[in-house]
């Protein structure tokens, strides 16, 4: 087993036992264990402090039931103002019956998020394709779709360590990919085509640092308990070993 897979597996156990969200956790607050581990609360549940639209505008959509709502925000994304490289991001998402949204990460240019960043797909339905829930959009399919039914909260954990990306949905590892293997422009490691060709660089050469944010793709969707652990400042146990 490669070292990064060993880290991912140990990281999952550590995060579940030490800082995993559960029904007893306070809403939009850090638990004692999360504070001790170095987690940062990115959304306070009351306003959009620390957030903006990717076009630089203030966010126009209201907070609803202590959740942020990208829909009709005034931008394509609502993004946190501080870029980050290696991290673990946690949040809960609730979808309506029809939903198309996404969790963007490592967005290098907020004015061009699609072609300079990555997206974890948030989509209603039970598919397991490149554009279904939990996929790294158009790059890596989920092995399973573990999203909760529409109208219920789904717990997301997104781990980015160097080129390695892992998606955990409701406690289940759904998607894993190694971005360093995407060495040809517009092609996945298996030779099939993807859409990210605008800037002429293979995905393996994209920056590992950028903004995280939530997409408005024309459907209401709600996000809460948005928390981040910066792995450059607070390495997870056994990381990289």
């Amino acid at each position: 087993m490669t070292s990064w897979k060993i880290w991912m597996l140990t990281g999952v156990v550590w995060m579940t036992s030490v800082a995993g969200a559960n029904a007893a956790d306070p809403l939009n607050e850090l638990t004692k264990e999360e504070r001790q581990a170095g987690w940062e609360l990115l959304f306070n549940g009351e306003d959009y402090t620390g957030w903006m639209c990717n076009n630089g505008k203030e966010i126009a959509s209201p907070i609803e039931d202590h959740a942020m709502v990208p829909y009709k925000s005034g931008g394509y994304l609502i993004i946190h103002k501080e870029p980050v490289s290696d991290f673990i991001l946690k949040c809960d998402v609730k979808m309506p019956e029809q939903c198309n949204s996404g969790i963007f990460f490592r967005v290098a240019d907020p004015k061009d998020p699609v072609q300079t960043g990555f997206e974890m797909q948030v989509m209603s339905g039970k598919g397991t394709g490149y554009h279904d829930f939990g996929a790294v959009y158009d790059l890596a399919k989920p092995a399973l779709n573990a999203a909760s039914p529409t109208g219920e909260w789904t717990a997301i954990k997104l781990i980015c360590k160097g080129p390695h990306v892992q998606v955990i949905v409701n406690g289940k590892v759904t998607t894993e990919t190694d971005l360093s293997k995407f060495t040809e422009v517009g092609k996945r490691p298996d030779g099939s085509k993807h859409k990210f060709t605008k800037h002429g660089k293979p995905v393996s050469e994209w920056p590992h640092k950028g903004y995280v944010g939530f997409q408005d793709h024309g459907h209401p969707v709600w996000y809460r308990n948005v928390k981040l652990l910066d792995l450059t400042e607070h390495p997870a146990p056994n990381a990289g070993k």
Side-chain angles (χ1 to χ4, degrees):
M1 184 179 293
T2 60
S3 61
W4 79 269
K5 285 188 176 180
I6 292 172
W7 175 79
M8 289 297 182
L9 291 173
T10 56
V12 170
V13 173
W14 175 72
M15 287 309 307
T16 301
S17 61
V18 177
N22 57 61
D25 288 349
L27 181 62
N28 295 313
E29 294 182 17
L30 297 177
T31 65
K32 177 181 178 181
E33 292 80 11
E34 287 170 336
R35 290 194 298 271
Q36 291 174 342
W39 284 81
E40 179 184 0
L41 184 68
L42 298 190
F43 171 59
N44 62 23
E46 302 297 332
D47 57 45
Y48 286 110
T49 299
W51 295 81
M52 64 181 180
C53 291
N54 66 299
N55 54 18
K57 296 181 179 179
E58 292 187 8
I59 299 169
S61 53
I63 304 295
E64 295 183 10
D65 295 327
H66 305 288
M68 57 171 57
V69 185
Y71 182 54
K72 295 185 178 181
S73 62
Y76 183 72
L77 302 178
I78 56 176
I79 62 173
H80 193 257
K81 294 181 179 180
E82 298 296 330
V84 65
S85 52
D86 291 352
F87 62 88
I88 304 174
L89 177 73
K90 294 195 298 186
C91 67
D92 302 330
V93 59
K94 183 172 67 172
M95 301 180 290
E97 186 172 350
Q98 279 193 315
C99 179
N100 186 346
S101 183
I103 300 171
F104 275 67
F105 58 100
R106 288 180 170 171
V107 175
D109 181 0
K111 295 181 180 179
D112 187 14
V114 173
Q115 291 287 337
T116 69
F118 303 95
E119 176 188 357
M120 194 223 87
Q121 179 73 66
V122 173
M123 172 74 78
S124 52
K126 283 298 181 182
T128 54
Y130 287 112
H131 303 159
D132 289 307
F133 196 102
V136 178
Y137 186 86
D138 217 40
L139 297 176
K141 299 177 183 179
L144 70 158
N145 189 322
S148 302
T150 55
E152 298 182 14
W153 291 100
T154 298
I156 303 296
K157 191 179 296 176
L158 174 65
I159 303 175
C160 294
K161 176 72 172 178
H164 308 295
V165 177
Q166 184 182 64
V167 178
I168 303 170
V169 179
N170 284 333
K172 299 178 181 179
V173 178
T174 63
T175 313
E176 295 182 276
T177 190
D178 181 350
L179 301 175
S180 68
K181 295 182 178 180
F182 291 74
T183 57
E184 294 187 66
V185 176
K187 290 186 178 181
R188 306 182 187 101
D190 64 2
S192 59
K193 294 182 179 180
H194 64 72
K195 66 180 286 184
F196 304 108
T197 60
K198 179 178 177 181
H199 297 291
K201 288 186 177 182
V203 169
S204 60
E205 296 181 12
W206 288 20
H208 286 174
K209 185 174 184 177
Y211 297 89
V212 297
F214 303 108
Q215 180 191 38
D216 174 12
H217 211 282
H219 297 95
V221 61
W222 298 265
Y223 294 93
R224 70 181 189 185
N225 290 330
V226 185
K227 304 173 183 182
L228 185 137
L229 182 69
D230 188 336
L231 294 176
T232 63
E233 297 181 3
H234 304 280
N238 301 314
K241 295 184 179 179

